[in-house]
Amino acid sequence: MIIQGLMEVLQPMTILLVAIGTVVGIIFGAIPGLTATMAIVMFLPVTYSMAASEGISMLMALYIGGISGGLISAILLNIPGTPSSVATCFDGKPMANKGEAGKALGSGVVFSFVGTIIGIGLLVVLSPVLCGFALKFQAYEYCALAIFSLSMVIALTGHDMPKGLVSAVLGSLLATVGLSPIDSKPRFTFGLYQLNNGFALVVLLIGLFAIAEVMSFAESVRKGQNFTVETDYKIKGAGFSLKEGLAQTKNAIVSALIGVGIGILPGIGGGVSCMISYTVSKNTSKHRELYGTGIMDGVVASETANNATIGGAMIPLLALGIPGDAATAMLLGGLQIHNVAPGPLIYEKNGVVVYAIFFAMVLSAIFMMLFMLLGMRFFVSVLKIPKNFLLPVVVVLCGIGAIGNANMLFDTYCMVAFGLMSYLLIKSKVPTVPMILGFILGPTFETNLRRVSQLASSDSFWNHPIFCVLIIAT
C-alpha cells in the first residue's frame, strides 16, 4: 500500500495539482482575511470529478500552503494572514523594521517546512497506533469520546465558556435535522424533502467561514485599509546562515512537539499553538528580554509550531474521524465526498489513499519551501490586489460548491442562511468552532447513547474502563 500510495502521488497530474494547490494556498494565506479554510472551501467543488488521491492531495496542498503563507503579511504588514501567524508578528515585523525582512521571511519559510515535516512524521507514526487503540471502542467509548471532545473545545474557548457551550449545543441541534439515526423518523424537516438527509457538512462549513467572512468585509469596506507593503528586502539563500539555523534546533523541536500536541486536541488549531510555543520559547530563553524587539527565535517558534499543528490535527481526523481544527473539518467533508471514511478501519479500507495523503503532504511541504523562497516577490505583489476583486469570485465558487454537493439549489439557500447566522454569532463574539464539532459529533453521541441505553441492562459501564477514564477526564 505504501508503494501504491507513492505511485499515486508521483503521477504527473497529481504533482501538478499539488503544486497548484500549494501556490493558491500560499496566496490565500498571505492575504489577510483569506484563510486556508476558505481556500479549501473554494476548491472543494473543483475536486468533485477527480480521483480520491488527486482531489485529497490538492486539498492537503491548499491546507499546507494556506497555513504557511500567513507569515508573509505577518512580517511585512504586521497583519497575520491567518490566525496561525499571530505570534509571527511579534518579532517578524520588528525584524523587517530593522532591515532584516529577508532573514525573517527566510527563517519563517524554512522552519515552516521543518515544522510540517516533523508533524507529518509524527502523523505517520501515531495515527496507526491510535487506529489500533480505537478498534477497541464500542458504543460506550464512542459516546464518552464525543462528550470529552466537546467539553474540551468548550473549556478551551477561554473566558467565554457559556458562549462556547451555546455554540456546541446549536451545532448539535442542527445535526438533528433529518431522519433520526436508528428508527429513521423525520425530525425538524417541516415537510421539506430536501431536509430528509439533514444539512450537509460542506454547506455548513462554506456558510460559517466563507460567506461570513465576505459579510464581515462588506461591513468594513468603507473604512479603508491603510498599510504599506514592504518591498525593500533581499533573501540570499535561505536568508540566514547555517550556524544561525543550527542554533535554533532545540527551539524548533520543542515548538514542533507543542504544535503537534495542540493539533491533536479537537477544535483548537494553529492560532493557539503558535502563541503557546512563542510563550514557552520566550520563558525558556536566556535572552527573553529581546523577544518582541525583532529576533529570529520568535519567528522560528511561531512558524514551526503552527505548521506542525497540521500533522497533529490530521491524527484524530484520520484515526477517529474527529477534526482537529476548522480546516480539517473541511477536509473531513472532502474525504466523505471521495468516499473515504475516516476512523479506525481507514488503513484497511482506504490504505492507499492514506499513504497518498502522507506523500502528498511531504511533496507540498517541499513545494511550499521552494516556491516561497524563489517566488517571494510574486506572493508579496499579491498583497496589493484589492479584496473587493477577490471576494466576489469567492462567493461564486462557494455557491458552485454548495450546489455541487448534492445538485440541489436548496443548499445555496442553506449556505447563505448559515453565513448570516455565523456573521451574527461573530458580532456576538460567540465562537463557531464548537458549533462545527457539535455538528460532527452530535450524531455520533446520539447514535451511541441510544445503543448504550439498549445495552445498559446486560452490559454495565463498569466493563468499559476506557469509557470510565474519558468520563472522569471530562
Side-chain angles (χ1 to χ4, degrees):
M1 285 193 295
I2 297 175
I3 300 298
Q4 286 178 287
L6 177 61
M7 296 308 296
E8 290 278 347
V9 173
L10 292 180
Q11 297 296 319
M13 179 56 70
T14 307
I15 294 174
L16 178 62
L17 290 171
V18 170
I20 293 172
T22 305
V23 172
V24 173
I26 294 170
I27 292 172
F28 269 73
I31 299 175
L34 300 184
T35 62
T37 305
M38 192 179 291
I40 298 171
V41 167
M42 279 185 59
F43 279 83
L44 194 58
V46 177
T47 69
Y48 284 172
S49 60
M50 297 180 186
S53 56
E54 292 178 351
I56 298 170
S57 294
M58 186 178 190
L59 295 177
M60 289 306 311
L62 288 164
Y63 185 21
I64 291 173
I67 297 297
S68 305
L71 68 90
I72 299 174
S73 54
I75 292 170
L76 299 181
L77 303 179
N78 203 31
I79 303 173
T82 65
S84 300
S85 298
V86 171
T88 307
C89 297
F90 300 163
D91 280 288
K93 183 58 176 174
M95 286 181 73
N97 293 339
K98 293 193 299 185
E100 297 181 342
K103 182 177 180 181
L105 290 167
S107 59
V109 171
V110 170
F111 283 94
S112 288
F113 171 78
V114 171
T116 305
I117 294 299
I118 293 175
I120 296 170
L122 290 174
L123 166 64
V124 173
V125 172
L126 295 179
S127 58
V129 176
L130 188 56
C131 281
F133 178 69
L135 285 172
K136 301 176 183 177
F137 281 24
Q138 298 175 14
Y140 275 99
E141 286 76 13
Y142 277 113
C143 186
L145 180 64
I147 298 173
F148 174 73
S149 299
L150 280 174
S151 65
M152 184 178 295
V153 174
I154 294 167
L156 289 167
T157 52
H159 299 295
D160 290 329
M161 284 182 60
K163 291 183 178 180
L165 178 61
V166 168
S167 180
V169 170
L170 184 57
S172 300
L173 289 175
L174 289 173
T176 62
V177 174
L179 303 179
S180 59
I182 291 181
D183 51 16
S184 296
K185 294 286 180 67
R187 302 180 300 191
F188 309 115
T189 58
F190 304 103
L192 298 172
Y193 71 89
Q194 296 96 332
L195 290 177
N196 284 342
N197 291 326
F199 296 115
L201 174 63
V202 172
V203 176
L204 175 71
L205 290 168
I206 290 174
L208 288 184
F209 292 101
I211 303 302
E213 177 61 36
V214 172
M215 290 180 177
S216 297
F217 175 75
E219 179 189 23
S220 61
V221 70
R222 293 185 181 276
K223 298 177 182 178
Q225 290 180 306
N226 297 316
F227 56 76
T228 303
V229 180
E230 174 68 52
T231 56
D232 185 20
Y233 65 87
K234 293 181 180 180
I235 300 180
K236 185 178 180 181
F240 57 92
S241 67
L242 179 62
K243 182 180 179 181
E244 289 174 316
L246 292 175
Q248 298 295 329
T249 302
K250 179 183 176 182
N251 186 13
I253 292 174
V254 172
S255 298
L257 293 176
I258 291 172
V260 173
I262 296 295
I264 292 174
L265 302 177
I268 303 175
V272 175
S273 68
C274 73
M275 292 296 294
I276 292 177
S277 65
Y278 183 88
T279 303
V280 170
S281 177
K282 179 179 179 180
N283 291 339
T284 57
S285 174
K286 296 178 181 178
H287 43 266
R288 66 183 68 180
E289 69 282 354
L290 297 179
Y291 278 72
T293 64
I295 62 171
M296 183 175 167
D297 303 54
V299 176
V300 169
S302 174
E303 288 302 317
T304 306
N306 64 27
N307 280 267
T309 304
I310 296 171
M314 289 295 294
I315 294 172
L317 174 67
L318 294 177
L320 301 174
I322 299 174
D325 58 10
T328 47
M330 200 68 228
L331 289 172
L332 176 61
L335 290 169
Q336 292 173 345
I337 286 169
H338 291 285
N339 296 317
V340 177
L345 298 177
I346 190 170
Y347 280 90
E348 294 181 21
K349 294 182 177 180
N350 302 103
V352 174
V353 176
V354 173
Y355 286 109
I357 290 173
F358 295 158
F359 287 118
M361 291 175 73
V362 174
L363 182 61
S364 177
I366 295 171
F367 280 154
M368 176 272 293
M369 182 171 66
L370 293 177
F371 291 159
M372 290 183 74
L373 287 177
L374 299 177
M376 184 60 74
R377 293 198 179 276
F378 165 73
F379 294 116
V380 170
S381 66
V382 171
L383 294 176
K384 300 177 182 179
I385 300 175
K387 281 210 288 186
N388 54 305
F389 292 160
L390 292 172
L391 292 181
V393 179
V394 172
V395 174
V396 171
L397 290 175
C398 288
I400 294 171
I403 294 173
N405 179 64
N407 293 320
M408 290 196 303
L409 186 61
F410 179 79
D411 282 341
T412 59
Y413 305 146
C414 296
M415 175 191 76
V416 174
F418 288 138
L420 179 60
M421 178 183 67
S422 177
Y423 173 73
L424 295 174
L425 290 173
I426 292 170
K427 296 294 286 184
S428 304
K429 298 184 179 179
V430 175
T432 54
V433 171
M435 183 189 298
I436 299 169
L437 267 293
F439 186 83
I440 293 170
L441 295 175
T444 301
F445 173 70
E446 181 189 2
T447 302
N448 289 288
L449 181 63
R450 295 179 71 171
R451 288 174 179 166
V452 164
S453 65
Q454 296 170 351
L455 295 170
S457 59
S458 58
D459 185 14
S460 172
F461 68 86
W462 291 113
N463 298 325
H464 298 270
I466 298 175
F467 169 83
C468 296
V469 170
L470 288 172
I471 291 297
I472 292 171
T474 301

